[in-house]
């Protein structure tokens, strides 16, 4: 059976190879998974259970439960002063990944160029390819703390692109961008008429400054689709719930595809998400505080070992330089010899070479043990 050229053009996930190696071993400490080690807040879980007990297991509206869309709109207004119409400009999806896929397919024509800020989440380039677009890799630089700048956009030729996709706080680097730093990116997009796909799934996990949504900057709301969800801040990865916000025509187009594919996001998860938005700010604050403690610990241990690592300020990843020349070789040897899983940075695209992605979304006890094993291994 012949696979399509689009599928053949996309290699298997580089992350999955390390997950599969780790699954074959016992007593693994995983610093490779981008998944919170917390459970979803208790009241959100209780809301999900209660909805099942009431027998609420039917489809919802294609765009998602209206109460949830209204809550999402209120949350954006409260946090960023952004006004989105819950009926026309908000779409609830099966995870933020589905929302991104819908946006690529709805807004990218075959042959369109989409600039992808890298290192990046591994699904962006394949998503563009599956939509028939041509990804243009825009490598950010360690000397800039992996921030997206006008200079790297110009060096990559992004002025000829139709769209830009980026994620800040960033997976895999942990980099963040302030509102001032985003202004030059916004100006570049306005000058060259680029659509923007802004993945803000880690927006709550910004430790040293408040998160700024690019949609709040002048002239950007009308050209930006923002993606977020409940997997990271609310530790609801397995419930698979995300959302997109943007101009009505973009959301309507995305929903047209969503109607024929997913139909509607999981009903039970929507009940949990509604409760999370309304009642769980304190739990989120507590998780963020614990992540910050872990971040500071991991960064301090890299410094103790003499391993170069810029000061990651968001998400739950550090992105140190690899002690060996070959990060892939190092990660595999470290996994086999010390039973600690990390991910080589090159799987996240250009700019990630020679680095390791280290997730600190695990307990402080396991992080201490993993860092002790790393110190022994590099010595």
């Amino acid at each position: 059976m012949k696979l399509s050229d689009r599928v053949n053009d996309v290699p298997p996930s580089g992350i999955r190879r390390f997950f599969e190696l780790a699954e074959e071993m016992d007593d693994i400490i995983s610093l490779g998974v981008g998944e919170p080690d917390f459970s979803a807040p208790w009241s959100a879980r209780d809301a999900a259970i209660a909805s099942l007990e009431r027998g609420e297991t039917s489809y919802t509206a294609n765009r998602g439960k209206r109460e949830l869309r209204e809550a999402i709109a209120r949350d954006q207004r409260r946090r960023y002063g952004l006004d989105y119409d819950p009926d026309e400009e908000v779409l609830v999806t099966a995870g933020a990944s589905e929302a991104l896929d819908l946006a690529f397919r709805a807004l990218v024509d075959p042959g369109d160029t989409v600039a992808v800020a890298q290192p990046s989440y591994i699904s962006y380039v394949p998503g563009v390819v599956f939509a028939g677009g041509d990804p243009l890799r825009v490598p950010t630089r360690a000397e800039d703390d992996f921030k997206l700048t006008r200079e790297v956009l110009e060096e990559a030729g992004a002025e000829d692109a139709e769209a830009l996709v980026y994620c800040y706080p960033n997976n895999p680097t942990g980099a963040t961008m302030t509102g001032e730093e985003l202004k030059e990116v916004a100006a570049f997009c306005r000058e060259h008429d680029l659509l923007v796909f802004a993945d803000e799934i880690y927006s709550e996990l910004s430790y040293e400054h408040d998160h700024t949504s690019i949609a709040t900057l002048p002239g950007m709301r009308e050209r930006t689709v923002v993606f977020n969800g409940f997997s990271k801040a609310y530790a609801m990865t397995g419930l698979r719930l995300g959302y997109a916000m943007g101009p009505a025509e973009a959301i309507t187009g995305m929903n047209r595809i969503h109607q024929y594919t997913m139909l509607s996001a999981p009903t039970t998860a929507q009940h949990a998400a509604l409760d999370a938005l309304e009642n769980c700010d304190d739990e989120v604050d507590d998780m963020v505080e614990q992540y910050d403690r872990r971040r500071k610990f991991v960064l301090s241990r890299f410094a103790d070992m003499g391993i170069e690592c810029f000061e990651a300020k968001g998400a739950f990843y550090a992105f140190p330089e690899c002690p060996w020349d070959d990060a892939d070789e190092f990660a595999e040897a470290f996994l086999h010899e010390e039973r600690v899983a990390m991910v080589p940075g090159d799987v996240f695209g250009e700019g990630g070479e020679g680095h390791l992605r280290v997730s600190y979304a695990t307990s402080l006890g396991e992080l201490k043990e993993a860092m002790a094993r790393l110190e022994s291994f590099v010595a």
Side-chain angles (χ1 to χ4, degrees):
M1 184 177 293
K2 182 181 180 300
L3 294 176
S4 72
D5 291 340
R6 288 180 185 175
V7 172
N8 280 324
D9 286 344
V10 173
S13 164
I15 294 178
R16 289 307 312 171
R17 185 171 81 83
F18 281 87
F19 287 170
E20 287 162 6
L21 285 171
E23 285 172 358
E24 298 171 1
M25 303 178 184
D26 297 324
D27 302 321
I28 292 292
I29 297 176
S30 179
L31 307 184
V33 182
E35 180 172 31
D37 64 323
F38 300 102
S39 296
W42 179 262
S43 68
R45 284 181 278 156
D46 196 44
I49 293 168
S51 74
L52 289 171
E53 290 176 336
R54 293 191 300 268
E56 296 181 356
T57 56
S58 302
Y59 295 124
T60 68
N62 291 136
R63 291 175 183 255
K65 286 176 63 65
R66 192 172 196 283
E67 302 98 307
L68 177 56
R69 286 182 278 124
E70 289 174 336
I72 290 168
R74 284 195 301 272
D75 188 65
Q76 291 295 303
R77 192 177 306 116
R78 174 172 66 96
R79 294 182 188 279
Y80 309 115
L82 285 167
D83 281 311
Y84 288 107
D85 182 341
D87 292 322
E88 301 291 335
E89 297 180 316
V90 179
L91 175 64
V92 180
T93 59
S97 292
E98 191 217 350
L100 278 155
D101 178 58
L102 294 173
F104 292 149
R105 288 196 281 164
L107 299 169
V108 176
D109 278 322
D112 280 357
T113 299
V114 179
V116 182
Q118 293 194 316
S120 65
Y121 179 48
I122 59 172
S123 77
Y124 298 157
V125 168
V128 171
V129 172
F130 291 146
D134 295 326
L136 173 69
R137 292 160 177 83
V138 180
T140 58
R141 302 178 298 207
E143 56 264 35
D144 299 327
D145 288 347
F146 297 104
K147 297 176 188 292
L148 186 59
T149 66
R150 175 183 283 271
E151 184 178 357
V152 297
L153 286 164
E154 290 173 345
E155 287 177 355
E159 65 272 8
D160 295 324
E162 278 73 36
L164 166 69
V165 57
Y166 75 81
C167 173
Y168 287 99
N170 182 262
N171 173 15
T173 66
T176 60
M177 291 189 67
T178 65
E180 279 299 312
E181 291 163 339
L182 278 173
K183 283 181 179 179
E184 68 175 31
V185 177
F188 182 91
C189 293
R190 290 193 302 268
E191 289 167 21
H192 300 290
D193 197 24
L194 270 67
L195 300 176
V196 177
F197 302 121
D199 185 351
E200 299 185 2
I201 190 69
Y202 294 98
S203 60
E204 292 304 295
L205 307 182
S206 186
Y207 306 110
E208 297 193 7
H209 59 82
D210 291 337
H211 174 73
T212 296
S213 174
I214 199 170
T216 63
L217 300 182
M220 295 307 295
R221 186 191 183 284
E222 58 267 32
R223 66 174 63 249
T224 302
V225 180
V226 176
F227 308 91
N228 211 317
F230 299 88
S231 293
K232 310 303 182 182
Y234 295 98
M236 289 166 55
T237 52
L239 296 185
R240 307 309 306 132
L241 205 72
Y243 54 91
M245 303 165 295
E249 58 269 29
I251 298 301
T252 296
M254 292 167 61
N255 187 47
R256 190 172 303 165
I257 302 169
H258 181 70
Q259 288 172 332
Y260 288 108
T261 53
M262 192 56 63
L263 305 181
S264 64
T267 300
T268 306
Q270 293 188 54
H271 286 280
L274 179 59
D275 183 88
L277 285 175
E278 293 180 341
N279 300 312
C280 297
D281 281 357
D282 289 345
E283 287 88 340
V284 173
D285 290 345
D286 181 61
M287 285 189 274
V288 171
E289 183 179 335
Q290 293 191 54
Y291 285 138
D292 195 20
R293 288 180 58 211
R294 299 172 188 182
R295 175 183 71 98
K296 291 173 180 175
F297 169 75
V298 168
L299 292 175
S300 70
R301 290 294 284 123
F302 286 140
D304 292 343
M305 288 181 252
I307 295 175
E308 291 292 326
C309 183
F310 86 102
E311 188 180 357
K313 296 180 180 180
F316 38 58
Y317 309 106
F319 207 60
E321 293 184 10
C322 182
W324 294 4
D325 291 335
D326 189 322
D328 192 88
E329 185 179 299
F330 177 91
E332 189 161 344
F334 188 42
L335 175 62
H336 282 289
E337 295 187 29
E338 297 290 347
R339 295 295 198 269
V340 178
M342 297 177 176
V343 182
D346 59 349
V347 308
F348 301 100
E350 294 186 21
E353 304 87 350
H355 292 80
L356 299 162
R357 189 187 78 169
V358 178
S359 170
Y360 47 86
T362 190
S363 71
L364 197 56
E366 287 206 325
L367 287 172
K368 289 178 179 178
E369 176 62 25
M371 292 296 108
R373 294 183 194 181
L374 178 63
E375 186 170 34
S376 173
F377 186 71
V378 298

